[in-house]
Amino acid sequence: MNYNVASLFAGVGGICLGFKNAGANIVWANEMDKWACETYKRNFTHTLIEAKIEDVDINSIPNVDILTSGFPCTSFSIAGYQKGFEDEKSGHLFMETLKIIKAIQPQVIFLENVKNLLSHDKGNTFKVIKEALVDAGYFFKYQVLNSMEYGNVPQNRERIYIVGFKNKNHCDMFNFPKPIKLTKTIRDIINPTVQKDSKFYYENSKYYPMLSEVMKNRNTVYQLRRVYVRENKNNVSPTLTANMGTGGHNVPLIIDDYGLRKLTPKECFMFQGFPEDYQLPSSMANSHLYKQAGNSVTVPVVERIAKNILDIMNKSSSNIKEQYIAS
């Protein structure tokens, strides 16, 4: 069966693409960032509501089987201020997600956030979220998955995924995907023999003396953090961040045949598991594209979770059909 999906805080479409690849039908999405919307519209043709979630008319959301939400995680992040629900941004926006969940009552909900959501405020923040989902009528499971362990993507990225079902039996049947072997390397994304635009190289940068002293390994991704550079010892990309395109903070760096350079926006998208042919607006500033990649999800991880969700729903639908025929 084709199951319909609506997506809140859709960003550039990472969650949508994961569910689409798994076989679901994306019919509606919402995103407020105009630059992310521009990228999204390059790759999807269904309805996209370009507005703050508070301004979305709930009655305009079609009946869907699955509702997804990658609500902003700034205040839950280790790198953020950790204000949780006191924060006007993140806490408030989770409650907006909850309001829509209660209004449209989808069969399944899919939520994604940073790993630190579990431990924030000694677990009290996550306790509130769990209680709110139970109050909304959902049974759910959650797990922290690392992209390099569950998506065969060479990026060290841990995120919490929450999957809720209206039907308790469906929840009991659902399992998160098992770890898979990481077979892809940075060389599956980066071709060191292809020279990039000179703006990506650091030979004329104030950081070059420090970088040239530390960067020796061609098989991993380094990270520039203003006053020092760090090598990722497991030969994958460190966690990509939304601010990696601003100055010298969290910039992912590699060595190619032409020197020391930062990853291009396209490469960052591919380190999130987006296909090489995913369309990025050529006229858009790289700073916006870096932010979009850092804020997105790892597509293959979402796809594997989505496949498990759809398998449960298909089995249930087949059982209902068999019971109907037998009666």
Side-chain angles (χ1 to χ4, degrees):
M1 284 186 64
N2 259 345
Y3 294 98
N4 290 339
V5 178
S7 178
L8 303 174
F9 305 102
V12 294
I15 291 176
C16 296
L17 184 59
F19 272 84
K20 179 181 177 182
N21 290 347
N25 183 31
I26 317 301
V27 297
W28 184 96
N30 164 240
E31 172 57 46
M32 65 167 284
D33 185 280
K34 69 175 184 177
W35 304 111
C37 287
E38 186 174 336
T39 301
Y40 192 100
K41 289 184 292 187
R42 292 285 183 112
N43 297 280
F44 298 94
T45 57
H46 56 259
T47 300
L48 174 66
I49 304 299
E50 301 179 48
K52 293 181 179 179
I53 191 171
E54 302 95 326
D55 298 331
V56 172
D57 179 3
I58 293 179
N59 294 322
S60 71
I61 304 175
N63 290 327
V64 293
D65 306 291
I66 303 168
L67 179 72
T68 73
S69 177
F71 60 94
C73 57
T74 304
S75 69
F76 301 134
S77 172
I78 293 173
Y81 294 108
Q82 302 196 15
K83 294 180 182 177
F85 287 126
E86 296 177 5
D87 180 11
E88 286 293 323
K89 188 175 183 181
S90 297
H92 168 63
L93 295 182
F94 168 75
M95 292 305 177
E96 290 293 331
T97 293
L98 183 66
K99 181 172 71 175
I100 293 176
I101 289 172
K102 288 182 174 181
I104 69 174
Q105 293 286 305
Q107 293 183 52
V108 181
I109 55 175
F110 173 94
L111 309 178
E112 179 268 348
N113 214 290
V114 292
K115 174 187 176 182
N116 199 46
L117 178 62
L118 276 174
S119 58
H120 177 265
D121 190 23
K122 299 179 180 179
N124 289 324
T125 298
F126 195 59
K127 180 181 178 183
V128 171
I129 289 176
K130 291 190 293 183
E131 290 175 351
L133 295 178
V134 170
D135 180 64
Y138 287 86
F139 304 91
F140 58 90
K141 293 179 179 178
Y142 59 90
Q143 190 169 327
V144 174
L145 305 181
N146 192 319
S147 298
M148 67 181 188
E149 297 171 345
Y150 290 86
N152 193 20
V153 173
Q155 183 194 171
N156 182 18
R157 187 182 191 87
E158 293 181 300
R159 289 294 184 268
I160 183 171
Y161 299 90
I162 305 168
V163 178
F165 296 85
K166 292 291 290 182
N167 186 310
K168 185 178 185 301
N169 289 334
H170 292 177
C171 187
D172 291 340
M173 293 167 62
F174 171 78
N175 289 303
F176 282 96
K178 296 183 182 300
I180 54 177
K181 183 178 180 180
L182 177 64
T183 61
K184 293 184 178 178
T185 71
I186 69 168
R187 292 300 175 217
D188 289 291
I189 296 172
I190 297 164
N191 185 343
T193 66
V194 176
Q195 187 172 16
K196 302 300 181 182
D197 190 286
S198 61
K199 64 187 175 185
F200 294 113
Y201 291 88
Y202 274 74
E203 273 65 22
N204 296 320
S205 167
K206 65 180 179 180
Y207 297 110
Y208 184 75
M210 175 178 66
L211 299 181
S212 60
E213 182 176 344
V214 176
M215 293 179 65
K216 306 296 182 184
N217 185 354
R218 293 170 62 95
N219 296 314
T220 193
V221 180
Y222 291 80
Q223 190 175 49
L224 174 60
R225 309 195 76 174
R226 288 206 177 98
V227 295
Y228 69 96
V229 61
R230 182 174 65 183
E231 177 184 355
N232 199 309
K233 297 294 186 180
N234 51 17
N235 293 345
V236 299
S237 169
T239 304
L240 299 178
T241 66
N243 59 10
M244 61 185 166
T246 58
H249 191 52
N250 291 330
V251 180
L253 305 165
I254 56 102
I255 306 171
D256 69 11
D257 291 353
Y258 302 92
L260 313 180
R261 69 167 175 87
K262 59 184 173 183
L263 296 180
T264 66
K266 172 64 75 175
E267 290 168 337
C268 289
F269 270 77
M270 292 175 69
F271 270 111
Q272 287 281 42
F274 286 84
E276 190 170 0
D277 61 359
Y278 204 74
Q279 297 297 308
L280 306 184
S282 59
S283 60
M284 187 177 293
N286 283 335
S287 58
H288 295 308
L289 295 172
Y290 282 123
K291 179 181 178 182
Q292 291 167 19
N295 275 337
S296 192
V297 298
T298 304
V299 176
V301 177
V302 175
E303 181 179 345
R304 295 188 70 212
I305 299 171
K307 283 182 177 177
N308 286 9
I309 293 171
L310 297 179
D311 282 348
I312 297 299
M313 298 176 75
N314 284 326
K315 287 177 183 177
S316 175
S317 178
S318 296
N319 290 338
I320 292 173
K321 185 177 180 180
E322 289 173 2
Q323 292 172 10
Y324 175 78
I325 293 173
S327 65

